[in-house]
Amino acid sequence: PFTRSGFYTPKGLFTQAPIFSDLPRLPAPFAQALYTSALFTDLSFSARITIVGLLLQMIRYKSSEEMYLRYDKMTAMELFQESGVSTELIEGF
């Protein structure tokens, strides 16, 4: 009963969203990263794996009030760069 959502760029289909109800339950945000990584066919594997740094940052940001305030002051680009997210991934998505 569910259909995948598609994300398009001027080049055409970039990726599709997985149907999570068909997949084993895993904690967020790891499930999203795991289940979507293979769907980004226009990005190299080495670019896709750089999302791991961002996932680690997502765990840290609520670890203390101090960390939360630190992350709250950052722009998305600052967070991506600090996390080691590749330029290919940033520009591709």
Side-chain angles (χ1 to χ4, degrees), residues 47 50-54 79-90:
T50 65
I51 198 71
V52 170
L54 183 59
L79 179 60
F80 298 156
Q81 290 170 338
E82 183 176 303
S83 303
V85 175
S86 72
T87 302
E88 181 185 355
L89 182 59
I90 292 168

Side-chain angles (χ1 to χ4, degrees), residues 7-76:
F7 298 92
Y8 290 84
T9 69
K11 294 186 215 174
L13 181 63
F14 181 68
T15 190
Q16 293 183 355
I19 300 172
F20 289 109
S21 64
D22 294 342
L23 301 167
R25 289 178 160 252
L26 295 172
F30 300 104
Q32 291 89 333
L34 177 67
Y35 295 142
T36 60
S37 65
L39 300 173
F40 287 89
T41 56
D42 284 352
L43 290 173
S44 66
F45 176 77
S46 59
R48 287 181 272 160
I49 199 70
T50 65
I51 198 71
V52 170
L54 183 59
L55 296 176
L56 295 174
Q57 298 277 29
M58 292 173 77
I59 292 170
R60 288 186 199 119
Y61 98 96
K62 280 196 168 180
S63 63
S64 70
E65 181 71 17
E66 194 175 288
M67 290 300 285
Y68 179 83
L69 293 172
R70 179 178 174 269
Y71 286 116
D72 192 48
K73 295 175 185 172
M74 291 179 138
T75 66

